[in-house]
Amino acid sequence: MQSKNYLNVISLYEFEKILEMFDLPADEVTALKILLVMRRNIDSLSCEVCQRFLVEELYRLSSMKKDHLAKMVHYFASYASLR
């Protein structure tokens, strides 16, 4: 449950830094949209197949590189599994 709380309480600034870490530059509006989609689909992080759908949804939303989006989603999924 704590991992879910992490995504719910992360600030937009922190999330933008994570996007930069995965070479996913985004303006503030796009970063906010991605964060909201991640929060809305927080349960998808526990399922590998669902993660792929989440990556596709984020790709349609942002047109960012899919492999970089997949790494970011996997990062949050790994973080979730550690909690």
Side-chain angles (χ1 to χ4, degrees):
M1 281 298 179
Q2 291 177 354
S3 61
K4 293 179 181 182
N5 291 338
Y6 174 70
L7 258 178
N8 286 327
V9 298
I10 190 172
S11 71
L12 181 58
Y13 175 77
E14 292 171 319
F15 190 71
E16 287 174 326
K17 292 299 176 190
I18 291 173
L19 289 175
E20 288 175 14
M21 184 172 77
F22 288 99
D23 195 27
L24 295 166
D27 58 51
E28 193 171 307
V29 173
T30 303
L32 180 59
K33 287 179 182 180
I34 292 171
L35 178 58
L36 292 175
V37 167
M38 294 285 291
R39 286 178 178 168
R40 197 172 53 238
N41 294 291
I42 204 163
D43 292 327
S44 299
L45 296 176
S46 61
C47 172
E48 202 169 309
V49 174
C50 296
Q51 289 176 23
R52 292 187 200 132
F53 285 110
L54 181 57
V55 169
E56 288 296 325
E57 184 175 351
L58 294 173
Y59 176 73
R60 282 193 301 272
L61 177 71
S62 65
S63 298
M64 294 177 171
K65 298 176 184 175
K66 277 187 187 179
D67 57 330
H68 292 221
L69 287 167
K71 288 177 184 176
M72 183 200 56
V73 168
H74 182 71
Y75 167 79
F76 280 106
S78 297
Y79 186 87
S81 68
L82 293 175
R83 295 290 178 182

